[in-house]
Amino acid sequence: MIKSVAAAALLSAILGFVLGDGLVKAASVAVLVSLALCSVLLLIGGLGSLRREADAHRGLVLRYAKAILDRDGLPYRFIKWEESSVIRNSRGDSLDTTTIRAEVTDGGMLFMRLAFGSGWPQPARHRGKVRLRVRKLMIGDRPGVNLERTVQWLEDGKLRLVIHFAEPPRVGEEISVVVECDWPGKSMPLMREGKVDKFTFRFSRPVPYARYQVTLPEGVDATCEPFGFSEHDERVHWGRVTDGQGRTQFYVDGVDVAVHRELGMLLQVG
């Protein structure tokens, strides 16, 4: 009904503009402008509805994935977790790369569920600028094609991720995936406000080896403290180095990281 009325009004306006006198043409232009504005508003409303529907579907995918894992357990075990955060500038823009190696322990593995976060309630308007890419690594760490993924943002700024596999890998097979995340403003509190920032990981299953490395922009230094372990913990090694570009790097290496143990470092610039 609305479309029919709009079409009739549009036709009348066009005819008035083509055939009418000056006053009629002016009125026709006003009608055309009004119709254009109405079309834009309807389009915006439609896009908003589609966005809400897509968000709901993403939430359902994450919910069902969690329910399956809670019921059946993980069909894989982590072998190695290597996470790197390269802070690019004073705005706290970061390029995060996480390489995950796991062994398949059960058949029918169709997805992997992960979570990442900025450590602070980043405004929702920043989330649309985050770019995430997931790829499988082949032998020799050669990059494979992109893997499908489902992403959901939580209110606290945490990102939940489900990685989908086109075919379930074989039991006993070792799989490697890399998650690359271009994350504007992720470390803004650290770089702009001088606040203490926490860089940690925590797992729902034991992990034989896990590493977290943070690279600061060139010319920037920071103080570092361990988080979740003591300085004398023999299972954790931590320190700082300088890379080939003169940038300061801090790292934490954990061996046999226990379930639900939050492990990492605290950094403060200045």
Side-chain angles (χ1 to χ4, degrees):
M1 180 66 180
I2 295 177
K3 290 182 179 179
S4 300
V5 172
L10 177 61
L11 179 60
S12 299
I14 293 174
L15 290 175
F17 182 79
V18 174
L19 303 176
D21 56 18
L23 184 60
V24 173
K25 287 185 177 181
S28 299
V29 170
V31 171
L32 288 171
V33 171
S34 298
L35 287 172
L37 289 174
C38 290
S39 299
V40 171
L41 292 174
L42 287 172
L43 179 60
I44 292 174
L47 290 175
S49 177
L50 288 174
R51 188 178 296 111
R52 288 190 295 272
E53 185 175 352
D55 289 341
H57 288 167
R58 282 192 289 268
L60 289 174
V61 171
L62 271 293
R63 176 184 175 185
Y64 295 149
K66 182 179 185 301
I68 291 172
L69 295 180
D70 288 345
R71 183 192 65 190
D72 300 336
L74 290 180
Y76 54 88
R77 68 175 186 89
F78 289 120
I79 299 173
K80 183 183 290 187
W81 178 286
E82 296 175 297
E83 189 167 352
S84 167
S85 182
V86 178
I87 304 174
R88 294 174 162 177
N89 48 47
S90 60
R91 297 187 300 272
D93 299 340
S94 298
L95 177 61
D96 291 4
T97 304
T98 304
T99 303
I100 304 154
R101 305 185 193 279
E103 180 187 1
V104 181
T105 57
D106 198 358
M109 176 183 169
L110 291 174
F111 62 87
M112 179 181 286
R113 183 174 179 269
L114 306 171
F116 301 93
S118 62
W120 64 288
Q122 197 171 11
R125 66 179 182 274
H126 293 172
R127 299 172 188 172
K129 301 177 183 179
V130 175
R131 296 291 177 264
L132 189 143
R133 183 181 187 184
V134 183
R135 291 183 294 177
K136 187 175 181 180
L137 293 179
M138 313 302 289
I139 296 176
D141 285 348
R142 291 181 295 105
V145 298
N146 292 348
L147 295 174
E148 294 293 332
R149 77 284 192 285
T150 301
V151 175
Q152 181 191 35
W153 288 95
L154 304 183
E155 292 183 359
D156 61 358
K158 184 174 290 186
L159 181 154
R160 285 182 177 171
L161 170 67
V162 170
I163 302 171
H164 304 275
F165 298 99
E167 296 181 359
R170 299 186 305 273
V171 175
E173 181 180 352
E174 182 177 319
I175 59 173
S176 298
V177 297
V178 59
V179 180
E180 299 171 341
C181 191
D182 191 344
W183 198 321
K186 181 186 177 186
S187 296
M188 186 182 296
L190 173 72
M191 298 302 300
R192 280 196 171 181
E193 303 171 23
K195 292 184 177 180
V196 176
D197 207 349
K198 183 171 66 172
F199 297 85
T200 61
F201 39 58
R202 181 170 55 187
F203 306 103
S204 60
R205 296 292 186 276
V207 178
Y209 174 81
R211 178 183 179 90
Y212 205 137
Q213 178 176 287
V214 179
T215 303
L216 299 178
E218 186 176 355
V220 176
D221 201 358
T223 54
C224 177
E225 286 188 10
F227 184 92
F229 66 97
S230 71
E231 296 182 65
H232 306 291
D233 193 328
E234 295 182 353
R235 292 181 179 271
V236 183
H237 181 62
W238 66 292
R240 59 178 290 164
V241 295
T242 302
D243 71 0
Q245 301 180 39
R247 299 176 300 182
T248 300
Q249 294 179 326
F250 295 93
Y251 65 89
V252 171
D253 291 337
V255 177
D256 295 330
V257 180
V259 175
H260 301 311
R261 182 184 183 185
E262 189 174 9
L263 194 68
M265 69 188 93
L266 300 176
L267 292 181
Q268 186 173 27
V269 172

